[in-house]
Amino acid sequence: MQSTRAFVLVYLLLCISITAQTPKKLSSNDIHHELEKLNFLGTALYLAAHPDDENTRLISYLANHTKARTAYLSLTRGDGGQNLIGAELRELLGVLRTQELLAARRVDGGEQRFTRANDFGYSKHPNETLQIWNKEQVLGDVIWTIRNLKPDVIINRFDHRRAGRTHGHHTSSAILSMEAFDLAASKDVYPEYLKSTDVWQPKRLFYNTSWWRYGSQEAFDKVDKSNMLKMDVGVYYPAFGKSNNEIASLASSQHLCQGFGRISTRGSQDEYIELLKGDLPENKNNIFDGINTTWSRVKGGEAVGEILYEVEKNFDFKNPSSHIPKLLEAYTLLQKVEDKHWRELKSEHLKDIILACSGLYLEANASSSSATRGETLKIVVEALNRSDSKIKLNAVVIENTGASIRQTVNLAANKKESLELDLTIAKNAAFTTPYWLNTKGSLGMYEVSDKSLIGKPETPPAFMVNYELDFNGSILNFKKPIVYHYSKPDKGEIYEPFVVLPEVTSSFKDDVILFADNSAKEITLSIRAGRDKVSGTVALNHPKGWSVSPSSIDFEIAQKNDVQNFLFKVSPPKQESEGSIFPVIKVNGNSYTRKLVEINYDHVPKQSILLPSETKVVRLNILKSGNNIGYVVGAGDKVPESLEQIGYNVETIAVNNIQEGSLSKYDGIVVGIRAYNVVEELKFKQAFLLDYVKEGGNLIIQYNTAGRWREQFKNIAPYPITISRDRVTNENAEVEILAKNHPLINFPNTITQNDFDGWVQERGLYFPNEWSKEFTPILSMNDEGENPKTGSLLVAPYGKGNYIYTGLSFFRELPAGVPGAYKLFANMLSIGKENHQTENGIKGK
């Protein structure tokens, strides 16, 4: 079974790597499929809260079987979730999950949209959600999407009637959709949007229901379905060699950071949607029944459709280019259609089909993956006509620059033409970074200053190239981005987005630096050159009461992308203090304060993110006992690096190396988040971990998800314990210390209520709700209106040692530099050592 899963994962990664990087090239079957979609004038909008909430089966069915334009509106980018494949969290996780959604849409044929809502973490009620989000702004973004896409039907993933019984973000998405369905048609609602779009009234609103909504298939079978539509989404597509649910499985498997990699499914599978608003179709298997989805829908469209229906019906799979004259004729007629929405939408789609029929390959390849303002670089343009059609390239123009080639080049059949031009980056060119991260937002909302970008899944490419082509007298313009195209021996052919970056970026080695006493520390600042021969000075801004030396450092870096490290001595104040240190780098009169973060996985295009370069400095009075800590990595977190900040020597333990006697050298062992969910080999090593405790060790198990709890890990603890879905989402929820006299609260640091101030995103998650009498609950906490949860931190003696299970979100608090979280974690690692002298000179009580 293990080898089968490994094979599937390798196969999947190979497939999605190609999808993520390589420009799409359409086969004859693909072109015919696009023609079918071109000839369907209907739009569906699927709406939910997060990446991976979407039903890829239904999206693929509507896009590929029904042939509708189908979009998924995710209200958030999933910034508040966890990451199974890397260390990216919060805004960086949002960037990764955005790209995974786009990868999913490339597979299932849908489009992607977003609002400005920030996924601030789990919410138990829509009232809380809509209070933290700016409801008016998010509702406006939903209406903006509806007015721009003009969907005939909207499908909600979640039920607006289930407030308080599921994730507050989920219910909120449905509530906002219900309101927007009617408000989008009113000129009095968000009238400022009408400067660039028109009002729109969708025809129908549905809820994508299923047996899980009613608890069981048996209960669902008894439900009155007279108000529901049913679609078999397991249809097979001979042209693709795949069934719809196979495509859907591949699409959902793009959500790798959420652990959604899965084996494909096949066969008949029913999906149900319940009508919430609008008229019920007579044909309960067709969501568009009664809606005109033909070319006669638009004035002047019948003449266009007459040509395109004929091309679709008599499509020449062996020589698609034979249809180019008729497609050009249809394009000319389409420009006379008065309806701007359909004219522009279908014109772009038709041009793509013409390009595919001609086998035209157009590419503008930069000589480097990035450039800086004022820099000049070479762009190589490749143009190749892989048909017998008479095509001329009249001009190549890089938009919004002076770079162009204006000469007529005959594109002979299968003869590659290469042209070169120089591109000089303007002095005021925008840096390439996710647009929603340009301005600091709030807990619940991203700030987007350029309102035209709202809803777009990603920042537009740095530069678009316009190709003017003459198809035997018909002039068409095609736009494509500049790319960076190269190869690596161990990767093969790679495409990356071309980006504009600052002359220099900088980053600290650590996001948080802790000072356990008033001794100075040397901190490292890395400066990366964005171009050759860059020089300047760097200084550090610091909080009041702190000091930094030297006051500034001169630097000179000869080569682009080279990184140099610079040391500063930082001295903290004597008293406890928190603040941020950030660099100011001056180059040729310009100041730079940002760091560059690159996200580079095989299944998504490389991402370049510019964020403020800063490190949090914390002076706290913290004591610890023990020194050598072993860490078993789970789903990935920064807890090991955080523990090193307070002086622990942390060693990563390879699970396969755990054996009898191998753990005795550690003063404590910590198991990373979700380790029992993602590291299957732990089932063979659990006995050795418990033996370590029995012989006097401290073992700390961080949270695991209850829903994915494997049968073989029932004996995760030495005594009975049951993991639940209990959580406390309010990071400011009051915490009661139950075991006031327990060593975990008193040694070597005295934990008080103040140590729970400043926590971020949540208190914790997946708390145990049942445990044996051997466990002592240490803390009690709860969200408003709920009963106290006492399972966030449990400790039990076992043999000579101590076993601790905690659902507290240390994986968020420690990297955020929360002082109280550090003190509590140090106490957990120190338990049982109260009567021993420590390396820090701590005397036990």
Side-chain angles (χ1 to χ4, degrees):
M1 185 65 177
Q2 185 73 14
S3 61
T4 301
R5 288 178 179 168
F7 171 78
V8 170
L9 182 58
V10 170
Y11 172 77
L12 175 63
L13 287 173
L14 287 173
C15 292
I16 60 185
S17 176
I18 294 171
T19 302
Q21 305 289 355
T22 308
K24 188 173 183 180
K25 305 177 184 73
L26 301 184
S27 67
S28 292
N29 282 337
D30 294 328
I31 297 171
H32 185 256
H33 181 65
E34 290 302 318
L35 270 168
E36 292 176 315
K37 296 183 72 171
L38 181 70
N39 284 332
F40 188 95
L41 278 69
T43 304
L45 175 64
Y46 199 89
L47 193 150
H50 310 107
D52 75 35
D53 281 346
E54 81 274 23
N55 185 340
T56 54
R57 296 183 302 273
L58 196 48
I59 290 175
S60 178
Y61 178 86
L62 293 172
N64 298 306
H65 178 76
T66 306
K67 308 298 190 303
R69 182 191 189 194
T70 308
Y72 173 44
L73 174 60
S74 177
L75 297 196
T76 76
R77 296 176 184 269
D79 328 75
Q82 288 92 48
N83 184 356
L84 290 182
I85 64 173
E88 294 88 2
L89 290 175
R90 291 302 310 153
E91 67 271 9
L92 295 179
L93 179 60
V95 174
L96 174 56
R97 296 190 73 186
T98 293
Q99 290 301 317
E100 289 186 336
L101 266 179
L102 288 170
R105 299 294 79 78
R106 286 191 290 269
V107 174
D108 62 31
E111 300 177 24
Q112 188 60 52
R113 297 291 187 276
F114 292 96
T115 74
R116 288 170 288 174
N118 190 343
D119 178 3
F120 55 85
Y122 193 89
S123 173
K124 293 181 177 178
H125 200 280
N127 290 348
E128 178 196 32
T129 299
L130 295 174
Q131 184 177 5
I132 295 176
W133 289 349
N134 183 321
K135 180 186 176 182
E136 292 305 308
Q137 287 186 2
V138 182
L139 177 61
D141 291 355
V142 176
I143 289 173
W144 171 256
T145 302
I146 292 172
R147 287 175 175 174
N148 278 282
L149 286 176
K150 303 191 184 313
D152 300 292
V153 296
I154 298 176
I155 305 170
N156 292 345
R157 180 54 164 154
F158 300 106
D159 190 345
H160 65 286
R161 298 159 293 196
R162 291 179 59 80
R165 287 180 282 178
T166 182
H167 197 324
H169 296 182
H170 293 169
T171 312
S172 295
S173 70
I175 290 171
L176 293 172
S177 179
M178 290 286 289
E179 293 185 26
F181 181 84
D182 298 317
L183 296 176
S186 173
K187 291 185 177 181
D188 298 326
V189 176
Y190 300 97
E192 64 273 19
Y193 294 171
L194 300 179
K195 296 175 183 178
S196 52
T197 189
D198 300 318
V199 295
W200 181 253
Q201 178 60 67
K203 303 292 192 300
R204 296 164 187 153
L205 176 64
F206 297 93
Y207 159 53
N208 186 190
T209 189
S210 181
W211 65 264
W212 46 260
R213 162 64 176 81
Y214 296 89
S216 68
Q217 184 63 52
E218 182 181 5
F220 185 56
D221 290 341
K222 298 176 182 177
V223 171
D224 178 9
K225 299 182 179 61
S226 59
N227 204 37
M228 296 184 188
L229 275 65
K230 182 177 76 171
M231 291 164 281
D232 182 356
V233 297
V235 294
Y236 177 67
Y237 304 122
F240 298 157
K242 295 184 182 73
S243 62
N244 186 75
N245 34 21
E246 285 178 286
I247 293 173
S249 295
L250 286 171
S252 62
S253 288
Q254 310 306 302
H255 297 294
L256 293 181
C257 73
Q258 291 301 107
F260 269 52
R262 61 189 59 182
I263 293 176
S264 298
T265 59
R266 299 159 196 82
S268 180
Q269 187 172 5
D270 290 335
E271 281 287 344
Y272 290 87
I273 54 175
E274 175 190 352
L275 183 71
L276 300 176
K277 292 189 177 186
D279 60 302
L280 185 68
E282 290 185 15
N283 182 350
K284 291 190 176 182
N285 302 117
N286 180 6
I287 194 173
F288 285 95
D289 183 49
I291 299 173
N292 185 359
T293 58
T294 71
W295 278 102
S296 64
R297 177 173 189 162
V298 294
K299 184 179 179 181
E302 288 184 333
V304 178
E306 185 177 345
I307 298 171
L308 294 178
Y309 290 137
E310 185 66 23
V311 173
E312 177 191 331
K313 180 180 178 181
N314 299 301
F315 187 72
D316 187 342
F317 288 87
K318 291 185 177 181
N319 183 23
S321 64
S322 65
H323 300 294
I324 289 177
K326 282 295 184 181
L327 294 175
L328 290 169
E329 183 182 346
Y331 180 83
T332 301
L333 289 174
L334 182 54
Q335 305 319 298
K336 301 175 183 178
V337 168
E338 295 179 9
D339 190 310
K340 180 182 177 183
H341 170 74
W342 287 113
R343 183 181 70 246
E344 292 182 351
L345 181 67
K346 294 298 183 180
S347 290
E348 289 304 310
H349 197 175
L350 180 51
K351 285 200 301 182
D352 289 341
I353 291 172
I354 293 170
L355 197 68
C357 285
S358 68
L360 264 170
Y361 186 81
L362 303 171
E363 177 181 293
N365 183 27
S367 56
S368 174
S369 63
S370 66
T372 61
R373 291 170 174 172
E375 185 178 351
T376 299
L377 71 162
K378 191 76 66 180
I379 306 296
V380 177
V381 175
E382 178 182 337
L384 176 62
N385 171 19
R386 292 173 289 192
S387 73
D388 293 327
S389 301
K390 293 182 179 180
I391 305 173
K392 297 176 183 177
L393 177 63
N394 288 342
V396 178
V397 179
I398 302 179
E399 294 187 336
N400 302 315
T401 73
S404 65
I405 299 174
R406 298 185 182 276
Q407 64 182 64
T408 299
V409 179
N410 289 311
L411 299 180
N414 213 30
K415 181 183 178 183
K416 185 175 74 172
E417 298 289 345
S418 293
L419 308 171
E420 289 188 2
L421 68 166
D422 292 328
L423 169 64
T424 299
I425 311 299
K427 296 288 187 182
N428 63 346
F431 295 131
T432 306
T433 191
Y435 69 85
W436 62 95
L437 299 178
N438 266 325
T439 306
K440 184 176 178 59
S442 64
L443 173 64
M445 296 296 296
Y446 282 117
E447 179 66 34
V448 179
S449 55
D450 184 350
K451 302 306 180 187
S452 68
L453 294 173
I454 292 174
K456 293 184 183 297
E458 57 184 341
T459 300
F463 294 98
M464 295 295 290
V465 180
N466 183 65
Y467 303 86
E468 183 182 296
L469 293 165
D470 182 339
F471 290 83
N472 200 26
S474 296
I475 307 299
L476 270 67
N477 289 278
F478 299 88
K479 295 181 181 181
K480 290 183 174 293
I482 292 178
V483 297
Y484 178 53
H485 181 191
Y486 66 107
S487 67
K488 294 178 71 173
D490 60 337
K491 294 281 188 180
E493 186 177 51
I494 298 174
Y495 285 83
E496 290 181 5
F498 172 73
V499 297
V500 178
L501 299 175
E503 289 180 283
V504 289
T505 53
S506 62
S507 63
F508 291 98
K509 177 185 175 184
D510 301 299
D511 294 332
V512 176
I513 302 174
L514 282 90
F515 295 76
D517 53 37
N518 58 5
S519 300
K521 283 188 177 183
E522 281 192 335
I523 66 172
T524 301
L525 178 72
S526 299
I527 297 179
R528 178 184 183 273
R531 61 171 174 81
D532 291 339
K533 299 179 181 178
V534 62
S535 61
T537 62
V538 56
L540 299 186
N541 278 6
H542 55 83
K544 184 178 180 181
W546 296 69
S547 62
V548 174
S549 64
S551 58
S552 67
I553 297 176
D554 295 332
F555 70 91
E556 183 174 348
I557 304 176
Q559 291 184 313
K560 179 178 180 176
N561 293 328
D562 189 18
V563 176
Q564 289 188 12
N565 295 324
F566 300 90
L567 294 177
F568 290 86
K569 181 180 284 188
V570 176
S571 300
K574 293 182 179 180
Q575 69 279 10
E576 291 195 344
S577 173
E578 294 181 50
S580 292
I581 289 178
F582 61 91
V584 176
I585 304 174
K586 294 189 180 296
V587 177
N588 296 327
N590 297 315
S591 294
Y592 298 99
T593 60
R594 292 204 267 183
K595 67 178 177 180
L596 171 65
V597 180
E598 294 179 335
I599 297 177
N600 200 2
Y601 294 99
D602 284 342
H603 66 301
V604 296
K606 180 180 176 182
Q607 299 297 297
S608 300
I609 304 104
L610 295 170
L611 297 172
S613 178
E614 62 181 341
T615 183
K616 182 177 181 180
V617 287
V618 181
R619 166 71 174 93
L620 73 162
N621 294 314
I622 187 171
L623 301 172
K624 69 181 184 66
S625 181
N627 185 53
N628 296 318
I629 305 301
Y631 202 88
V632 179
V633 176
D637 57 54
K638 295 185 177 180
V639 171
E641 298 93 321
S642 300
L643 295 179
E644 289 174 345
Q645 286 278 354
I646 53 176
Y648 283 109
N649 175 36
V650 183
E651 180 180 316
T652 299
I653 300 175
V655 173
N656 290 331
N657 292 338
I658 297 176
Q659 54 189 323
E660 185 176 358
S662 66
L663 307 176
S664 59
K665 62 180 178 179
Y666 299 114
D667 298 310
I669 293 176
V670 182
V671 178
I673 61 171
R674 297 174 73 173
Y676 290 92
N677 299 135
V678 300
V679 185
E680 196 162 351
E681 292 80 4
L682 268 177
K683 68 182 178 182
F684 304 117
K685 307 297 181 179
Q686 186 64 18
F688 298 126
L689 289 172
L690 294 181
D691 283 345
Y692 164 78
V693 181
K694 197 172 185 178
E695 294 302 316
N698 282 345
L699 177 63
I700 299 172
I701 308 294
Q702 296 181 85
Y703 95 96
N704 289 266
T705 57
R708 301 177 187 180
W709 196 260
R710 294 194 174 102
E711 186 71 20
Q712 59 265 37
F713 296 128
K714 279 190 172 180
N715 298 321
I716 178 179
Y719 311 111
I721 187 173
T722 301
I723 310 302
S724 73
R725 300 183 68 86
D726 288 350
R727 62 172 73 204
V728 176
T729 60
N730 182 358
E731 62 270 30
N732 298 312
E734 185 176 349
V735 176
E736 179 186 357
I737 300 174
L738 298 175
K740 292 182 174 61
N741 297 320
H742 197 282
L744 199 151
I745 293 297
N746 295 284
F747 178 84
N749 306 287
T750 301
I751 303 300
T752 70
Q753 298 288 351
N754 294 337
D755 290 307
F756 296 96
D757 293 342
W759 284 49
V760 298
Q761 186 162 329
E762 63 199 354
R763 289 293 188 197
L765 62 171
Y766 292 99
F767 298 163
N769 63 354
E770 293 181 6
W771 51 85
S772 69
K773 60 182 177 57
E774 287 83 3
F775 285 100
T776 298
I778 303 298
L779 306 171
S780 175
M781 59 191 72
N782 59 275
D783 285 319
E784 185 178 358
E786 294 188 351
N787 294 325
K789 306 290 188 296
T790 58
S792 65
L793 180 56
L794 301 174
V795 59
Y798 181 61
K800 301 175 185 178
N802 291 276
Y803 176 96
I804 296 174
Y805 189 95
T806 180
L808 294 172
S809 59
F810 288 106
F811 73 103
R812 298 193 191 280
E813 312 312 321
L814 299 186
V818 178
Y822 275 93
K823 292 180 180 179
L824 185 55
F825 212 101
N827 280 16
M828 294 189 325
L829 287 169
S830 302
I831 191 169
K833 299 179 175 63
E834 302 93 306
N835 298 315
H836 296 81
Q837 182 81 17
T838 74
E839 74 280 2
N840 287 333
I842 302 171
K843 289 284 188 179
K845 295 186 178 180

